[in-house]
Amino acid sequence: ARVTFFKSVISLQWKHDGSDIRSDWTLRREGFDRSSILEYCGLMMTAIRLDDMQKFLRSGQESIFYNNRTNHNNNSRGAISYGESIHDRMMYMQKLCWKAVGWEPDIATNQLNKIISLHGHHSEHTLDEKVIETLTKYTSAMTVAITNTLIEGSTKN
């Protein structure tokens, strides 16, 4: 169920990313909270387990999200650059996941990085055991995903 939910949420974000579509939905810029962290980490940890996502990280191939629609410039989605590196493509996925949970990606990423780097030190965020456990799993999963993608990519070249 989590994989199906991820695919539907991220497919919608992917389809509209960078488009000129205007909506009444405003991305949050403040009030970073526990549920945002848990939702975001859950989406990302689901994403990196998918074979198609690993293929996207390795090569930029977007088979999980590709459809025959065109973007706002009438170019094939396949013509869009998601970055030259695995890191760039991971950042793109993180951006989509932050948008999916209602956050402006740069602000949310900065907040999460602060929380992770200050964990164990004095912080304005008090983290409960569930959040600490989730963040630990998240950071480990991201490291493993990037490492495995780099290794798999180098063995195929």
Side-chain angles (χ1 to χ4, degrees), residues 45-123:
M45 288 188 292
T46 299
I48 60 165
R49 289 195 314 254
L50 300 174
D51 289 339
D52 285 339
M53 184 55 60
Q54 292 168 19
K55 186 185 301 182
F56 170 72
L57 289 175
R58 205 171 30 256
S59 66
Q61 185 178 12
E62 56 179 69
S63 60
I64 190 172
F65 307 105
Y66 185 76
N67 60 34
N68 291 324
R69 295 178 185 263
T70 57
N71 69 14
H72 65 282
N73 292 325
N74 292 325
N75 294 325
S76 163
R77 286 296 294 195
I80 293 175
S81 173
Y82 301 108
E84 295 297 317
S85 70
I86 293 167
H87 181 265
D88 291 340
R89 291 185 288 272
M90 178 68 83
M91 295 297 291
Y92 182 77
M93 278 311 308
Q94 290 172 336
K95 173 182 149 184
L96 292 181
C97 285
W98 278 123
K99 285 182 176 181
V101 297
W103 274 92
E104 195 285 306
D106 292 334
I107 290 172
T109 299
N110 289 338
Q111 289 293 315
L112 187 64
N113 287 341
K114 263 193 234 178
I115 289 170
I116 291 170
S117 67
L118 293 175
H119 175 64
H121 299 81
H122 176 67
S123 172

